[in-house]
Amino acid sequence: MGGQTQAVDYAFINALGTISAAIGATPSITLPEEIKNGLDVVGNALQATGNGLDANISEGLDAVGGTMQSFGNGLVIYGSIAVQPQQDNLRSTTIGNMLQALGGSLSLQSDLETEEHNRATALSIIGNLLQIAGNSLQSVSTILQINQTSDEAKTDQLNVTGSWVQAIGASLSFLAAYDRATTISFESRDTGHFIPSSASLMD
């Protein structure tokens, strides 16, 4: 039960991070550039924290995938703040987003192989797929910038789209973790062994 509760907390941290980063990446949201850059860095730091903590309570490919995602977030942060040529920053960001997409693909396996066919599993699969797609779009955006094969407006649009697709996916993954935790709580209550959790208290 404790692991399920922790999974909810870590998924919430990750979702909050993706939303923060998406806000920072959206040109149409009128905020000072310093604040938007800060949202991007803080958002990826939250994602790295959530993914890293979740990896610590996971096993097998889930743990490997979470670790890769956390490391990928770290590279994105490095690409945002490092004092080096812009091309090098873009390469760091590209590799970071690719690692996140690959890590999400590894984490997806447990949901695809599980014998549980319920709402939580469906939400988790869709959420992971959306995060993989979002990270992939962000990678394409920075690759186009590196190769200078597309105008800035198009690459910005790809990056924004990828950011929000990832944020939606992370939010669905949070809902999946919450659904799993509350289901266990209700099952424990039905058997007369209800164990309170932060997830159940959120109801």
Side-chain angles (χ1 to χ4, degrees):
M1 183 67 217
Q4 292 291 343
T5 302
Q6 289 176 312
V8 176
D9 295 337
Y10 303 156
F12 177 76
I13 293 171
N14 185 47
L16 183 62
T18 58
I19 293 170
S20 298
I23 292 173
T26 306
S28 59
I29 296 178
T30 307
L31 287 171
E33 197 63 28
E34 295 79 9
I35 292 179
K36 297 183 83 169
N37 290 336
L39 283 172
D40 181 56
V41 172
V42 170
N44 273 284
L46 287 171
Q47 292 174 61
T49 301
N51 286 322
L53 290 171
D54 188 66
N56 284 336
I57 62 170
S58 301
E59 298 177 349
L61 289 179
D62 278 343
V64 176
T67 301
M68 290 184 67
Q69 288 174 302
S70 183
F71 187 66
N73 290 124
L75 282 176
V76 172
I77 294 172
Y78 179 78
S80 298
I81 66 175
V83 181
Q84 59 182 359
Q86 180 67 7
Q87 292 289 92
D88 292 336
N89 284 337
L90 288 172
R91 289 189 184 93
S92 296
T93 301
T94 301
I95 295 170
N97 282 314
M98 286 179 171
L99 282 175
Q100 290 180 67
L102 180 57
S105 300
L106 293 177
S107 298
L108 183 63
Q109 183 180 15
S110 61
D111 284 321
L112 294 176
E113 293 181 345
T114 185
E115 295 180 359
E116 296 180 7
H117 302 290
N118 51 33
R119 180 176 59 187
T121 300
L123 285 171
S124 184
I125 291 173
I126 295 170
N128 264 310
L129 287 173
L130 286 174
Q131 290 183 79
I132 294 166
N135 286 130
S136 299
L137 285 173
Q138 289 172 302
S139 295
V140 171
S141 171
T142 50
I143 289 171
L144 290 176
Q145 290 181 64
I146 292 170
N147 295 330
Q148 298 180 341
T149 54
S150 185
D151 58 65
E152 185 177 350
K154 182 175 181 180
T155 57
D156 283 348
Q157 186 57 51
L158 277 173
N159 185 51
V160 172
T161 301
S163 295
W164 282 108
V165 168
Q166 183 188 6
I168 293 170
S171 299
L172 291 179
S173 293
F174 162 69
L175 292 175
Y178 177 76
D179 195 44
R180 285 191 177 112
T182 51
T183 298
I184 292 175
S185 293
F186 288 134
E187 288 175 352
S188 300
R189 182 187 301 172
D190 291 341
T191 58
H193 299 289
F194 174 62
I195 303 172
S197 68
S198 61
S200 62
L201 293 176
M202 289 171 64
D203 244 350

